[in-house]
């Protein structure tokens, strides 16, 4: 299991000297999943995805751009700027352990960034966009990733701003990319996904519990540091639940009643697992909570996206 954790970039990983395994660990493949899923949701929300070879290939390329390339860039640059914190929280990570030179880390950052932007531009060409929407989204997301991790702004120093930037990057941005690739990204959908990203803020707080010691030592005001472990767990659960319930209200308002019922049914087990794991001991049970509850959250995202794709919010519907 420790070898698998090493390849996925998870806590509790084993050590390695293989440079390609180290590069993969820096990119944290476990974090690619929500971005890949976000592209699927965006394609569904577009209302125009068809099961054709060219559409499938374009969707796959968009997933590679969002996950391995740009999320990989985000995670690598975060590890680069967090090497002092990781030396306290996760000293086995490739950079604080000294397993990979900083020059190699910098090279990896640039290769992933340029490759992601190139794929974004190629997708704009494929979709015949007069305005390079995918490229602009990739540039915007990459900039947010940079200021999230790098001084002087370093958004992650502020629990609210940092976690919202993370939530929007994992929910709104890949959704926008998938929707713009196959249809038209509207202001209504953009605002809805930004609201949905506030549920992502709650998920981002869960990731902060494991880093409390290092964050406190270096003065980072994550929500668990600022409010304490127990109050932060309630903030996390509240954000996750309230903004999903807001999506239920939106679905009812646009006439998607069946989807609203399905979404409620997917929220109920999340609340149950919050009571079992998150609210009892978020430091000890953060991984168990995410493994049990997040599948229901991401399924709810797809239900919402499919409903939007067949609603008046989508042009041509």
């Amino acid at each position: 299991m420790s070898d698998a954790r090493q390849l996925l970039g998870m806590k509790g990983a084993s050590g390695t000297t293989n440079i390609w395994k180290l590069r993969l660990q820096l990119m944290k493949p476990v974090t690619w999943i929500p971005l890949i899923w976000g592209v699927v949701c965006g394609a569904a929300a577009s209302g125009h995805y068809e099961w054709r070879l060219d559409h499938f290939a374009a969707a796959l390329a968009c997933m590679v751009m969002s996950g391995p390339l740009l999320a990989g860039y985000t995670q690598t640059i975060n590890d680069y700027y967090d090497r002092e914190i990781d030396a306290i929280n996760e000293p086995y990570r490739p950079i604080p352990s000294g397993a990979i030179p900083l020059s190699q880390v910098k090279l990896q950052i640039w290769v992933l960034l340029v490759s992601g932007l190139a794929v974004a531009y190629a997708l704009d060409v494929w979709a015949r966009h007069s305005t390079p929407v995918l490229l602009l989204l990739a540039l915007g997301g990459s900039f947010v990733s940079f200021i999230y991790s790098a001084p002087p702004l370093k958004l992650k120093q502020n629990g609210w701003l940092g976690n919202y930037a993370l939530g929007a990057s994992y929910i709104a941005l890949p959704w926008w990319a998938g929707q713009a690739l196959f249809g038209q990204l509207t202001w209504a959908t953009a605002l809805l996904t930004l609201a949905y990203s506030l549920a992502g803020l709650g998920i981002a707080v869960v990731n902060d519990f494991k880093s409390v010691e290092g964050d406190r030592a270096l003065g980072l005001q994550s929500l668990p540091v600022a409010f304490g472990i127990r109050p932060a767990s309630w903030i996390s659960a509240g954000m996750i639940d309230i903004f999903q319930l807001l999506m239920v209200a939106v679905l009812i308002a646009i006439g998607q009643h069946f989807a609203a019922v399905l979404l409620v049914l997917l929220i109920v087990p999340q609340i149950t697992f919050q009571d079992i794991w998150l609210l009892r001991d978020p430091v000890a049970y953060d991984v168990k909570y995410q493994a049990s509850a997040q599948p229901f959250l991401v399924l709810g995202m797809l239900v919402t996206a499919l409903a939007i794709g067949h609603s008046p919010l989508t042009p041509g519907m």
Side-chain angles (χ1 to χ4, degrees):
M1 285 300 295
S2 61
D3 289 341
R5 286 175 178 271
Q6 190 278 325
L7 290 175
L8 292 173
M10 296 172 66
K11 192 169 184 177
S14 62
T16 182
T17 57
N18 184 297
I19 187 65
W20 296 107
K21 288 184 177 181
L22 290 168
R23 292 188 185 283
L24 192 63
Q25 187 177 0
L26 283 172
M27 294 163 65
K28 291 185 182 177
V30 72
T31 66
W32 304 348
I33 299 170
L35 288 113
I36 291 170
W37 190 259
V39 172
V40 172
C41 292
S46 75
H48 298 290
Y49 178 83
E50 299 177 11
W51 287 103
R52 301 176 353 206
L53 181 59
D54 61 331
H55 276 216
F56 178 77
L60 189 61
C62 193
M63 291 175 191
V64 170
M65 175 197 75
S66 300
L69 297 179
L70 294 183
Y73 153 80
T74 297
Q75 295 299 333
T76 305
I77 200 171
N78 185 63
D79 267 29
Y80 176 80
Y81 284 109
D82 271 8
R83 53 191 185 274
E84 292 181 1
I85 299 175
D86 287 343
I88 300 171
N89 292 324
E90 300 177 87
Y92 57 84
R93 297 286 302 164
I95 299 175
S97 68
I100 186 169
L102 288 181
S103 59
Q104 290 292 314
V105 178
K106 293 177 183 178
L107 176 63
Q108 178 164 319
I109 289 169
W110 280 108
V111 168
L112 291 171
L113 176 60
V114 172
S115 299
L117 297 178
V119 172
Y121 180 73
L123 288 171
D124 279 320
V125 172
W126 176 84
R128 299 180 181 178
H129 289 154
S130 55
T131 301
V133 183
L134 274 297
L135 179 58
L136 292 175
L137 288 173
L139 283 168
S142 301
F143 177 70
V144 170
S145 297
F146 178 76
I147 64 174
Y148 173 79
S149 298
L153 293 179
K154 203 173 180 68
L155 296 181
K156 67 183 300 176
Q157 292 180 115
N158 181 289
W160 293 107
L161 283 177
N163 285 329
Y164 183 68
L166 198 62
S169 297
Y170 275 76
I171 293 179
L173 279 173
W175 184 313
W176 294 352
Q179 185 163 348
L181 182 60
F182 296 104
Q184 181 180 343
L185 181 60
T186 65
W187 282 108
T189 305
L191 291 172
L192 281 177
T193 50
L194 285 174
Y196 220 144
S197 298
L198 287 164
L201 185 156
I203 293 296
V205 175
V206 179
N207 294 323
D208 287 337
F209 290 115
K210 69 178 184 297
S211 305
V212 170
E213 182 182 348
D215 291 347
R216 186 180 290 120
L218 294 175
L220 296 185
Q221 289 299 302
S222 67
L223 296 189
V225 171
F227 293 97
I229 298 294
R230 186 165 180 79
S233 69
W234 280 95
I235 292 172
S236 173
M239 298 295 287
I240 293 168
D241 300 339
I242 289 169
F243 288 96
Q244 286 185 93
L245 290 171
L246 175 62
M247 292 304 113
V248 172
V250 170
L251 292 177
I252 293 171
I254 62 176
Q256 297 292 318
H257 300 99
F258 180 65
V261 172
L262 286 180
L263 185 53
V264 169
L265 293 176
L266 290 168
I267 294 171
V268 170
Q270 294 178 61
I271 295 173
T272 303
F273 288 122
Q274 286 164 5
D275 180 58
I276 295 173
W277 304 120
L278 181 61
L279 299 177
R280 295 192 182 184
D281 191 343
V283 177
Y285 299 134
D286 60 334
V287 174
K288 289 184 177 181
Y289 167 70
Q290 293 191 71
S292 56
Q294 283 197 22
F296 295 98
L297 184 142
V298 298
L299 282 175
M301 285 177 56
L302 183 58
V303 167
T304 304
L306 287 167
I308 290 173
H310 294 84
S311 77
L313 294 179
T314 299
M317 289 293 122

